[in-house]
Amino acid sequence: MTMDKNFPVTGFSSLAIHAGHEQDPNYAHLTPIYASSTYVFDDAEQGMRRFSGQEEGYIYSRWGNPTMAEAENKIAAMETFGLDFEVKGILHSSGMAAISTLLLATLKSGDKILSHFSLYGGTQEILNRILPSLGIEPIIVDLRDLSLAEETLKANPGIRMIYLETPANPTIQCVDIEELTLLGKKYGALVACDNTFATPYLQQPFRFGVDFVVHSTTKFLNGHGTIIGGIFLGKDIEFMKTQATKIHRLLGGNSNSFDAFLLVNGMKTLEVRMDRHCHNAMEVAGFLDGHEAVAKVNYNGLASHPDYFTASKQMRHPGAMMSIELKGGLKSGITMMNKLKLCTRTVSLGTCDTLLCHPASMTHAGVPKEQREKYGITDGLIRMSIGMENIQDILSDLDQALKQ
Ligand SMILES: *Cc1c(COP(=O)(O)O)cnc(C)c1O
């Protein structure tokens, strides 16, 4: 059933399950996978009304489709749960596609973009390789230092956007969304936040006043590792319907109905999944903190993490991502990866199973050691996405894998 506007739900899961759903014309319980490139018109006049925007309706699936619309509206509802305004989301084929649309719809030659040094690798490369050739200059500083952020904004009036990602790879650093958004407003910069690691259940950047939110829906939102997807959301509805929609349609980074279907159904269990992920993560962090083979645990739920207070201020629970530094360096990292019996050796995050990756021998093997270490990717760093298996089984596997 379509959600009744006169029945305001009080819990996040009710929204995650019901929001965005429209009654199917054929009374299918779930929104079908609309596998159709185009939509037909009753007559030429209707075609004209659809194209001119006088009449709402689908035209071409790069522009939108009912299965994709359900995912867009569900995520928009979750990102604004408890807030008194609405946002509009545009579903994309990947997180990178959503980020590309965001940047190309908002920035132009001569603009500058301010960001933190700990960012998703793909985002970092867009900032450093693609934007400069378009005349857009990235400025990367430690945004946990608010006075440095303000000095940088003061010295660079061309900063058009502050781009945040919190928590971020691989040291789970967090930046203060509220304080940085206030600075953005003071200096006339838009603020965007990548909310992938947290999901709207744990953190709602719009609550702190940001203009845009992006996600890789590939991760916890889908939750089952079955799709690649992304979304770009904005609170200026007019901007989203015009400029953002235009750029999205022209760049062609649209999603598809099959991925949207998997995403919609994955998201219904977001709250229960995240509660379990986070509970398990806290147990794993406590177990590894002080383990004889482990030099350091980077988890924002531990009071020893430098951004513990920032995380507790803006997140419901500390999340399910962490990294550890092994005392034995590169060799220990490789040995641990090879000894895993239950947890999965792979990149990415946010699936039911616990995922481990060793950046120095895998994702960042091609990056020179000094450069890697600047971003906290040391030889013995293991990144973990804690899954929903039985906690004793996760702990036993990690413990046996750490015995060198
Ligand atoms: C994975 C990821 C992305 C990129 O998303 P894709 O779906 O792989 O294109 C962007 N930001 C963060 C934080 C991510 O984890």
Side-chain angles (χ1 to χ4, degrees):
M1 286 191 321
T2 307
M3 263 181 101
D4 188 335
K5 289 222 158 41
N6 300 315
F7 186 80
V9 298
T10 54
F12 188 90
S13 258
S14 310
L15 201 72
I17 292 168
H18 293 282
H21 184 67
E22 298 284 343
Q23 175 69 53
D24 176 66
N26 291 310
Y27 289 80
H29 171 199
L30 303 184
T31 302
I33 299 168
Y34 275 80
S36 182
S37 323
T38 62
Y39 296 81
V40 298
F41 311 124
D42 284 335
D43 47 35
E45 287 76 12
Q46 186 183 41
M48 283 165 64
R49 290 196 301 278
R50 291 249 171 113
F51 268 96
S52 70
Q54 262 176 304
E55 179 181 305
E56 292 229 348
Y58 297 101
I59 297 177
Y60 188 56
S61 280
R62 170 153 49 81
W63 294 22
N65 147 313
T67 327
M68 280 146 58
E70 178 159 344
E72 288 167 341
N73 295 333
K74 197 185 279 298
I75 299 170
M78 293 193 291
E79 284 289 0
T80 51
F81 181 51
L83 307 182
D84 60 2
F85 59 92
E86 292 187 353
V87 297
K88 178 173 164 54
I90 306 175
L91 202 65
H92 280 72
S93 56
S94 67
M96 291 315 299
I99 293 167
S100 305
T101 301
L102 160 73
L103 297 175
L104 294 178
T106 49
L107 302 177
K108 59 177 190 327
S109 177
D111 287 343
K112 295 177 184 178
I113 177 170
L114 174 63
S115 196
H116 186 64
F117 57 82
S118 185
L119 280 182
Y120 180 72
T123 312
Q124 206 155 38
E125 286 199 62
I126 289 208
L127 261 53
N128 292 330
R129 288 174 189 245
I130 297 186
L131 294 190
S133 63
L134 302 175
I136 301 159
E137 184 194 332
I139 302 177
I140 309 291
V141 301
D142 187 342
L143 289 181
R144 292 170 305 172
D145 181 343
L146 293 171
S147 43
L148 176 62
E150 178 150 18
E151 273 168 39
T152 311
L153 283 156
K154 212 182 270 176
N156 294 277
I159 294 176
R160 171 87 180 121
M161 175 177 282
I162 307 179
Y163 184 94
L164 313 175
E165 179 184 319
T166 181
N169 246 331
T171 48
I172 323 300
Q173 288 178 2
C174 299
V175 295
D176 191 319
I177 305 173
E178 184 174 31
E179 293 295 336
L180 289 163
T181 303
L182 285 174
L183 285 178
K185 300 280 171 268
K186 185 167 169 192
Y187 291 91
L190 295 165
V191 181
C193 183
D194 182 333
N195 201 26
T196 301
F197 273 29
T199 80
Y201 174 57
L202 300 184
Q203 172 175 282
Q204 292 174 300
F206 286 118
R207 188 177 284 282
F208 303 106
V210 307
D211 300 283
F212 302 109
V213 167
V214 287
H215 280 279
S216 166
T217 56
T218 311
K219 318 291 168 55
F220 291 101
L221 279 176
N222 165 266
H224 298 76
T226 51
I227 67 161
I228 297 289
I231 192 163
F232 162 33
L233 304 121
K235 72 175 177 196
D236 180 344
I237 306 279
E238 192 49 35
F239 173 85
M240 293 306 290
K241 283 188 171 167
T242 53
Q243 169 76 354
T245 293
K246 189 82 193 156
I247 298 294
H248 163 251
R249 289 177 177 177
L250 292 176
L251 292 179
N254 56 282
S255 183
N256 65 82
S257 53
F258 184 65
D259 285 352
F261 178 83
L262 293 173
L263 176 59
V264 162
N265 290 295
M267 289 191 296
K268 292 177 184 175
T269 54
L270 184 65
E271 176 174 343
V272 281
R273 283 191 288 106
M274 292 315 287
D275 280 346
R276 172 78 169 217
H277 277 296
C278 295
H279 173 264
N280 279 357
M282 199 67 217
E283 296 280 320
V284 170
F287 172 75
L288 294 177
D289 193 28
H291 190 286
E292 59 183 5
V294 178
K296 190 174 173 205
V297 179
N298 300 308
Y299 181 56
N300 59 27
L302 293 178
S304 57
H305 191 281
D307 306 323
Y308 173 76
F309 287 105
T310 306
S312 7
K313 173 182 165 190
Q314 60 200 21
M315 295 177 76
R316 187 195 294 261
H317 305 304
M321 296 302 300
M322 71 182 71
S323 60
I324 56 173
E325 290 209 30
L326 300 179
K327 286 183 183 161
L330 194 66
K331 192 168 154 288
S332 298
I334 294 172
T335 308
M336 181 185 185
M337 295 301 291
N338 285 339
K339 287 181 79 176
L340 294 171
K341 291 189 192 319
L342 176 78
C343 301
T344 309
R345 273 182 294 272
T346 187
V347 293
S348 199
L349 52 125
T351 59
C352 302
D353 47 337
T354 297
L355 313 181
L356 273 77
C357 92
H358 180 222
S361 70
M362 298 174 180
T363 47
H364 291 71
V367 183
K369 188 172 156 131
E370 315 78 71
Q371 208 178 322
R372 266 200 276 124
E373 289 189 338
K374 264 206 293 193
Y375 297 118
I377 301 168
T378 52
D379 280 349
L381 188 86
I382 301 279
R383 195 191 72 175
M384 303 197 278
S385 167
I386 306 302
M388 299 183 286
E389 299 95 333
N390 176 286
I391 184 60
Q392 278 315 320
D393 291 333
I394 300 175
L395 298 181
S396 304
D397 191 27
L398 295 177
D399 194 37
Q400 67 80 23
L402 282 167
K403 292 206 166 71
Q404 304 277 320

